[in-house]
Amino acid sequence: MYSISALRTRSGSHDLDSDGDLDLAIPNLDSDSLTFWFGRGDGTFGNRVDRAFATDPADVLIADFNADGTADLAVLKWVPASIDVLLGQGGGVFAASISHALSGGARELEGARLVRRRVDGRQHLCRLDAAPLKEAMLWTEQFRRNWEARFEALDSLLDEMKSAENSRARRP
């Protein structure tokens, strides 16, 4: 038997450790953590692995946001309202989270089409939608690569200028 948070959250399933087996990622509001269960391939899961998380993880979305072939996580947090992105490094390991603050909370996310809201009585259930987030990350990745190429070209030019200056300084 597997125990999880008693508070209502949304979990995700995906092959997080690249072994071909389905794994689970579950946010725990009551313990401010993410719980991972790595599948064994026979319908059961290995030991529970908890990763401490800042505060109030409410929803987790699993997708390859940076198009590197490794599963990444986007975690919706309530307090403070933000989306944290944890880029996968392979083998079920994730980099430190990159937090994107949301000043308008869930309504801001809805406006950006990153969250879908469903009202169930007094509860407002929000679910992350990966498509716009992935599109934004791919767009920023293009600019990052472009700027890296420009900075490398600038570094090369500066190295050439410095080398030319040094060779002129050595001449009598």
Side-chain angles (χ1 to χ4, degrees):
M1 180 161 158
Y2 304 104
S3 66
I4 58 171
S5 172
L7 298 175
R8 196 166 186 176
T9 59
R10 298 278 186 145
S11 60
S13 61
H14 199 278
D15 181 10
L16 299 173
D17 56 1
S18 305
D19 65 356
D21 301 325
L22 195 61
D23 308 311
L24 299 175
I26 300 172
N28 298 299
L29 280 169
D30 56 353
S31 64
D32 294 334
S33 66
L34 291 176
T35 294
F36 298 97
W37 277 308
F38 296 98
R40 293 181 175 148
D42 61 0
T44 64
F45 297 92
N47 293 333
R48 175 182 178 149
V49 177
D50 289 318
R51 176 178 174 161
F53 205 74
T55 56
D56 295 333
D59 192 2
V60 65
L61 178 71
I62 305 168
D64 183 9
F65 297 119
N66 58 355
D68 66 353
T70 305
D72 306 311
L73 303 176
V75 181
L76 175 64
K77 293 187 338 184
W78 293 122
V79 180
S82 64
I83 294 179
D84 285 12
V85 176
L86 294 86
L87 297 177
Q89 297 179 325
V93 176
F94 296 90
S97 63
I98 303 163
S99 188
H100 304 278
L102 304 166
S103 61
R107 291 195 190 279
E108 184 176 314
L109 289 174
E110 284 181 285
R113 297 187 195 162
L114 294 172
V115 164
R116 288 174 288 161
R117 182 189 303 247
R118 182 173 62 92
V119 179
D120 182 11
R122 290 184 169 209
Q123 289 186 325
H124 291 247
L125 305 172
C126 295
R127 182 80 177 152
L128 286 172
D129 184 2
L133 188 58
K134 183 174 182 177
E135 185 178 323
M137 289 191 76
L138 291 173
W139 182 79
T140 56
E141 180 66 17
Q142 285 178 320
F143 282 98
R144 186 190 63 79
R145 280 183 274 187
N146 183 31
W147 280 105
E148 278 184 3
R150 289 178 183 221
F151 282 129
E152 286 173 10
L154 180 60
D155 282 343
S156 295
L157 177 62
L158 291 172
D159 287 343
E160 287 175 24
M161 292 172 65
K162 189 175 184 178
S163 178
E165 187 177 306
N166 286 342
S167 65
R168 278 195 301 268
R170 289 186 201 146
R171 292 185 192 154

